[in-house]
Amino acid sequence: MLEDPFQESEESFIVSSETAIPSESSQPVAAPQQQYDQEQDQEQQELLQQQQQKQQRQPLSTVPQPEPKQQKPKKSNDTRHQTNAPPMPAEKEKVPEKTPEEKEQERRQQARDVEANMDQIRFSTTYHDDVYAYRHVKLPKAISRWLPHYKPLKESEWRALGVQQSSTWEHYMVHAPEPHILLFREPINVYKARMREREKREQELAAAATAAEQEASEDLPEPSRPSKRQKAE
């Protein structure tokens, strides 16, 4: 078999080319990277220098800082150990008491006002719930001026003002906007028992009245009948 004369030359060419021309991957790449890093460092230094120059040209603005808040001491309600405690308030001046003569004069004047204006006292209709029966009594101005302020009255007190009703009623509350209107109440069972007694008494009185009328009619003389002669005439 004949040998190819060009085979050896090709192999020698390949070997020589590999040794003579180095590949790109074998070239060093450190030099361009270092140059890039140096450029970046220079740019940063220039920026820092420019900023420093601007700060030197423009004065810094002095911004006032807020003062720290001072905490106030807590107030204690205990004043036993305080030397600078506030002084006690002065006592109110006491109203001098009335003399017995002045009280007697007021009592007589109240009795005169009540007697003169008793017919102007107005009683409301009775209304009730499951526990109490209620009514209110309206006093005229001449009598209401003798009312004690914001105080429920006892039986003797509201009777002295001319209010006439059963003793089972209780003045239980004062209405501040209208103190001249007295609010009374009594237990519902007492109220119902009193109503039954009243109805019974009214029935007895009505029966007695009818009986008296019948007796009076029986005692009257019978009318005389006319005679035959009087009829003919």
Side-chain angles (χ1 to χ4, degrees):
M1 185 176 179
L2 295 175
E3 294 180 358
D4 190 359
F6 297 100
Q7 185 175 2
E8 185 178 357
S9 61
E10 288 178 359
E11 291 177 357
S12 61
F13 177 76
I14 291 168
V15 171
S16 62
S17 62
E18 289 177 357
T19 55
I21 302 172
S23 62
E24 293 180 358
S25 61
S26 62
Q27 292 180 359
V29 294
Q33 185 68 30
Q34 289 178 358
Q35 186 177 1
Y36 177 76
D37 293 341
Q38 290 177 0
E39 290 177 356
Q40 292 292 327
D41 293 339
Q42 288 179 0
E43 289 179 359
Q44 289 180 359
Q45 289 178 1
E46 289 177 358
L47 289 173
L48 289 172
Q49 289 177 0
Q50 291 177 2
Q51 290 178 359
Q52 290 177 359
Q53 289 176 1
K54 287 181 180 180
Q55 290 178 358
Q56 290 176 0
R57 291 174 185 175
Q58 296 179 359
L60 294 174
S61 59
T62 57
V63 179
Q65 296 182 357
E67 297 180 357
K69 294 182 179 180
Q70 296 181 357
Q71 294 182 355
K72 295 182 179 180
K74 294 182 179 180
K75 295 181 179 180
S76 62
N77 296 326
D78 190 5
T79 58
R80 291 176 296 177
H81 304 290
Q82 294 181 3
T83 56
N84 56 351
M88 297 295 292
E91 294 183 358
K92 295 182 179 179
E93 296 182 359
K94 294 182 179 180
V95 180
E97 294 184 359
K98 296 179 181 179
T99 60
E101 295 178 356
E102 292 176 349
K103 291 180 180 180
E104 184 64 22
Q105 289 179 0
E106 288 184 355
R107 189 184 64 79
R108 291 179 180 177
Q109 183 62 39
Q110 178 181 347
R112 286 194 293 268
D113 292 343
V114 170
E115 186 177 358
N117 299 279
M118 189 181 294
D119 56 344
Q120 298 181 15
I121 297 174
R122 297 290 180 265
F123 292 82
S124 72
T125 56
T126 306
Y127 49 97
H128 60 84
D129 55 15
D130 296 337
V131 183
Y132 289 102
Y134 304 92
R135 74 166 14 161
H136 56 270
V137 180
K138 186 176 181 180
L139 301 178
K141 188 175 181 180
I143 298 177
S144 62
R145 71 188 188 94
W146 298 106
L147 281 169
H149 294 288
Y150 308 109
K151 173 189 172 184
L153 303 178
K154 299 178 182 179
E155 182 182 355
S156 59
E157 292 175 339
W158 52 259
R159 284 192 186 279
L161 296 173
V163 180
Q164 296 179 356
Q165 59 185 356
S166 175
S167 60
T168 55
W169 289 101
E170 174 193 7
H171 184 223
Y172 69 99
M173 187 173 66
V174 177
H175 187 217
E178 296 174 329
H180 63 286
I181 298 177
L182 307 181
L183 305 176
F184 290 92
R185 71 180 181 184
E186 70 174 349
I188 188 64
N189 55 352
V190 177
Y191 171 74
K192 289 181 178 180
R194 187 159 47 80
M195 290 296 103
R196 287 194 294 268
E197 290 179 1
R198 180 181 293 181
E199 290 177 0
K200 185 178 179 180
R201 195 181 307 113
E202 289 177 355
Q203 291 175 1
E204 291 176 355
L205 291 174
T210 53
E213 289 178 359
Q214 289 177 1
E215 289 178 359
S217 62
E218 290 176 357
D219 294 339
L220 290 174
E222 294 182 0
S224 59
R225 296 179 181 179
S227 61
K228 293 180 180 181
R229 187 177 179 179
Q230 289 176 353
K231 288 181 180 179
E233 291 177 356

